[in-house]
Structure formats: structure tokens, C-alpha cells
């Protein structure tokens, strides 16, 4: 895994122009420009997945190298937060939910990496400003629509920041709900609730889901609702248990790893996968507004699945190195 320390900076520098290109010239799908079309093979790639992997490798490298000055604002905090802010800012216009989850995972890793709590809280306060703006805009727009039935709010299209209306609409649907079939987000949430209600405790059985024929993205963003419908609350709880076991095992690797870079790398990658899983499941049960976040290793996906496997492979590489070092230590004690 030490190879990734050398490749981290190069991968991070490659990810920036890819994100910039995607933002302005990417392929538009599902109201967002998140993909680029690869030449020759004619396939699409979601650049935020590559950027997320590169960022965590680079962030783990920075935190491990700056442990002596990590509490200092200029020498420690700014060099660490700058790449995180840059990547999140490039991802946010097309995929706000991914940017927020990535930022949260990075801040959690920075907290464990001994970054000053005061600096982290300051960053969280700044990040909350746009979120509060979206909530306020959703409340104001709902109030206007309620007072005037003639008000029709249309989502803007194809402009760079046109998705602001989409975000406000999702906040509005999440806070107030909607019975309007035209509101796709509310329709998805309602269908997910129907699937969960049909599942009950034990589920209707594997392959017997009927809601999957009506629920958009049933194989992707809302796969957890179909799992609960077919396997019940027991199956849904077991799925959560699997991710918790995965996170626990990665924390054990972090504790046993003698080198800072490997420890931070394994922990950072495990955090982002666990947080992504929690966010997907929370959206399905209507605890969070609708997002485009997949369920790692379960949802159907192309580049998301590939980079998830790469992240787990890196974690296993750190684990193998730890076991080899422990094996050498035991052998020396025996001698």
C-alpha cells in the first residue's frame, strides 16, 4: 500500500481537471452533469468516484506527514483542508449530496488525525450556510405556493447552477411531503414506503417484489427498499449489520497499523463507504432528502462499483501489510 503514498499526489492532480471538464462538458444524465464519455470504448465514467479515491489517498498522506504541525492553522490545517474544499466545490454543482458526504468523511478523518477541533467546527459552520439557505428557500417557496395556488415553480434546466431549484425542491418535498405525482422525488419516497410496508418483518420472499415495477431506480438508489420488501425488517437489519462489521474490522486495522499513512488510508476509505451506505439507507426510509447516492457493493453501478472495489482492495493491502509485520515480530520473538 506504500505505493499509494507516492501515487496519491499524481492521482489528485489528475482528478482536478477531470472534475473541471465534467462540470462544463460532461454527459448530462438524470438532470446532472456527472459523467464523461471515455473515447474508444464509448463508456461513461463518473469522475467524482475517482476524485474521492484520489482525495482520500492524498489526505491520508498529508495528515500523516503533518502530524508535528497539525494543530497549527497555517502550517497544518490550511494545507489539509484546501484539497478537500477544492474537490467538494467542483463536485457540488452537479452532485451536492456526494460533495457533502465526502466533506463529512474527510472532516471525520481529520478529527481522528488530530486536527484542531476548533478548526473543524469552523469548517462545519461555513458548510452549514448553503444548507440553511436551501432549507430557508424551500420554506419560503412552500409558503408562497400555499398562499397562491397560481404560483407554478419550474425547475431550471441545463445551466451550471440550475440544479439549485432541484435541491430546493427536494428539501421542500422532504420537509412538507407531496401528493403530486409530477414530483418525482416525492413519488420515489412514497413508493419506497409502500415497499417497506409490504415487507413487514419477514418480507414477501426473494424475487417476489411488486413495487420494483413502479419504483424508479429500484436497482440503484432505492435498492434498500426492495431488500426490505423481499427480506423484511430482518433482512434490512442484517444489511446494516454487515456494514457495521465491515467498519469494525477496518477500525481494527487502523489500531494495529504501525504507520500513520496506512492507518489513515484504511480508516478514511472505510468511513466514506460506511457513511455512503448509511446515507442511502436513510434516504430510503425518508430520514434524509432524496439523493443520488448508491448502496456500496449492492446497488447496480459501473464506475461506482469499480472504485468501491478498488477502495476495499487498498484496505486489504494495508491489512496484509499489518499481518506480515506482526508475523515477522512473532518470528523474531521465537528466535
Amino acid at each position: 500500500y506504500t505505493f499509494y503514498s507516492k501515487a496519491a499526489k499524481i492521482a489528485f492532480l489528475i482528478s482536478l481537471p477531470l472534475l473541471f471538464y465534467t462540470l462544463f462538458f460532461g454527459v448530462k444524465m438524470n438532470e446532472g452533469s456527472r459523467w464523461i464519455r471515455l473515447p474508444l470504448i464509448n463508456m461513461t465514467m463518473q469522475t467524482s468516484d475517482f476524485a474521492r479515491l484520489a482525495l482520500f489517498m492524498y489526505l491520508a498522506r498529508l495528515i500523516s506527514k503533518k502530524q508535528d504541525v497539525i494543530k497549527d492553522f497555517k502550517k497544518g490545517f490550511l494545507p489539509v483542508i484546501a484539497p478537500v474544499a477544492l474537490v467538494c466545490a467542483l463536485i457540488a454543482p452537479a452532485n451536492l449530496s456526494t460533495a457533502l458526504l465526502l466533506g463529512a468523511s474527510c472532516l471525520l478523518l481529520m478529527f481522528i488525525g488530530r486536527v484542531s477541533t476548533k478548526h473543524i467546527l469552523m469548517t462545519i459552520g461555513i458548510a452549514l450556510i448553503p444548507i440553511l439557505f436551501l432549507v430557508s428557500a424551500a420554506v419560503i417557496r412552500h409558503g408562497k405556493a400555499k398562499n397562491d395556488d397560481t404560483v407554478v415553480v419550474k425547475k431550471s434546466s441545463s445551466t451550471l447552477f440550475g440544479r439549485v431549484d432541484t435541491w430546493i425542491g427536494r428539501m421542500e418535498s422532504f420537509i412538507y411531503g407531496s401528493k403530486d405525482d409530477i414530483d418525482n422525488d416525492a413519488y420515489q419516497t412514497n413508493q419506497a414506503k409502500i415497499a417497506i410496508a409490504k415487507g413487514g418483518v419477514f418480507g414477501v420472499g426473494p424475487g417476489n417484489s411488486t413495487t420494483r415495477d413502479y419504483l424508479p431506480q429500484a436497482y440503484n438508489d432505492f435498492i434498500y427498499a426492495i431488500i426490505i420488501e423481499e427480506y423484511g425488517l430482518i433482512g434490512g437489519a442484517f444489511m446494516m449489520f454487515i456494514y457495521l462489521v465491515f467498519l469494525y474490522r477496518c477500525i481494527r486495522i487502523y489500531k494495529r497499523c504501525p504507520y500513520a499513512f496506512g492507518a489513515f488510508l484504511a480508516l478514511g476509505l472505510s468511513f466514506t463507504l460506511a457513511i455512503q451506505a448509511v446515507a442511502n439507507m436513510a434516504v430510503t426510509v425518508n430520514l434524509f432528502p432524496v439523493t443520488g447516492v448508491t448502496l456500496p457493493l449492492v446497488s447496480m453501478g459501473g464506475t461506482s462499483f469499480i472504485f468501491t472495489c478498488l477502495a476495499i482492495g487498498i484496505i486489504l493491502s494495508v491489512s496484509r501489510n499489518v499481518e506480515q509485520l506482526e508475523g515477522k515480530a512473532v518470528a523474531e520473538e521465537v528466535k
Side-chain angles (χ1 to χ4, degrees):
Y1 74 89
T2 53
F3 162 79
Y4 299 107
S5 178
K6 301 173 184 177
K9 190 173 182 179
I10 299 173
F12 176 73
L13 292 176
I14 293 174
S15 68
L16 295 180
L18 284 177
L19 290 175
F20 188 81
Y21 177 85
T22 306
L23 190 59
F24 291 99
F25 309 105
V27 178
K28 286 181 168 53
M29 297 169 62
N30 298 329
E31 299 182 353
S33 178
R34 307 174 187 176
W35 295 264
I36 59 172
R37 190 169 298 280
L38 300 175
L40 300 179
I41 60 175
N42 196 30
M43 292 180 62
T44 56
M45 168 187 170
Q46 191 164 343
T47 52
S48 60
D49 291 322
F50 173 73
R52 180 175 59 180
L53 184 63
L55 177 61
F56 273 104
M57 290 193 298
Y58 188 56
L59 188 62
R61 184 175 186 269
L62 283 176
I63 294 177
S64 62
K65 286 183 175 296
K66 292 187 176 295
Q67 281 298 297
D68 295 336
V69 293
I70 199 67
K71 296 291 184 181
D72 186 80
F73 182 77
K74 290 184 178 180
K75 295 180 180 180
F77 178 70
L78 285 181
V80 170
I81 197 64
V84 177
L86 184 58
V87 170
C88 290
L90 290 172
I91 293 175
N95 199 345
L96 180 63
S97 56
T98 297
L100 291 175
L101 292 175
L102 179 59
S105 302
C106 290
L107 289 176
L108 188 57
L109 180 61
M110 289 162 61
F111 175 76
I112 295 173
R114 296 177 57 247
V115 173
S116 174
T117 306
K118 178 177 66 177
H119 299 154
I120 293 175
L121 292 176
M122 178 187 66
T123 306
I124 294 173
I126 295 172
L128 285 175
I129 294 175
I131 298 175
L132 293 175
F133 166 77
L134 292 177
V135 174
S136 302
V139 172
I140 293 171
R141 192 167 82 172
H142 181 79
K144 287 182 178 180
K146 188 176 181 180
N147 294 331
D148 187 0
D149 293 335
T150 62
V151 174
V152 178
V153 180
K154 294 183 179 180
K155 294 180 181 179
S156 51
S157 60
S158 77
T159 58
L160 179 58
F161 297 101
R163 284 185 59 80
V164 172
D165 284 337
T166 303
W167 301 334
I168 294 174
R170 287 180 174 179
M171 284 290 183
E172 187 178 0
S173 297
F174 175 70
I175 297 172
Y176 298 103
S178 175
K179 297 180 181 179
D180 189 356
D181 291 337
I182 299 175
D183 188 344
N184 186 55
D185 296 332
Y187 177 77
Q188 286 180 304
T189 303
N190 291 335
Q191 290 298 319
K193 290 178 181 178
I194 291 171
I196 292 170
K198 284 183 178 179
V201 177
F202 300 103
V204 297
N208 294 327
S209 169
T210 56
T211 314
R212 64 185 176 187
D213 298 326
Y214 307 97
L215 177 60
Q217 304 293 328
Y219 53 85
N220 196 353
D221 298 348
F222 282 84
I223 185 68
Y224 190 61
I226 307 303
I227 291 173
I228 295 179
E229 182 182 6
E230 294 189 354
Y231 298 93
L233 292 177
I234 294 177
F238 180 71
M239 183 67 63
M240 292 181 63
F241 175 74
I242 291 174
Y243 286 109
L244 289 175
V245 170
F246 169 75
L247 183 60
Y248 169 73
R249 295 291 297 177
C250 292
I251 291 173
R252 285 195 61 187
I253 295 172
Y254 163 77
K255 288 183 176 180
R256 292 164 56 193
C257 186
Y259 302 113
F261 172 72
F264 292 137
L265 183 61
L267 197 63
L269 293 175
S270 64
F271 274 149
T272 187
L273 294 177
I275 290 175
Q276 181 179 335
V278 169
N280 178 278
M281 292 185 282
V283 168
T284 302
V285 299
N286 202 29
L287 288 177
F288 285 172
V290 174
T291 65
V293 177
T294 57
L295 190 62
L297 295 178
V298 179
S299 295
M300 177 181 175
T303 53
S304 175
F305 181 79
I306 291 172
F307 284 106
T308 297
C309 290
L310 285 173
I312 294 176
I314 293 172
I315 294 171
L316 289 174
S317 175
V318 177
S319 175
R320 180 181 61 184
N321 183 264
V322 170
E323 290 179 354
Q324 289 175 348
L325 291 175
E326 290 179 348
K328 290 180 181 179
V330 172
E332 289 178 359
E333 288 181 2
V334 171
K335 290 180 180 179

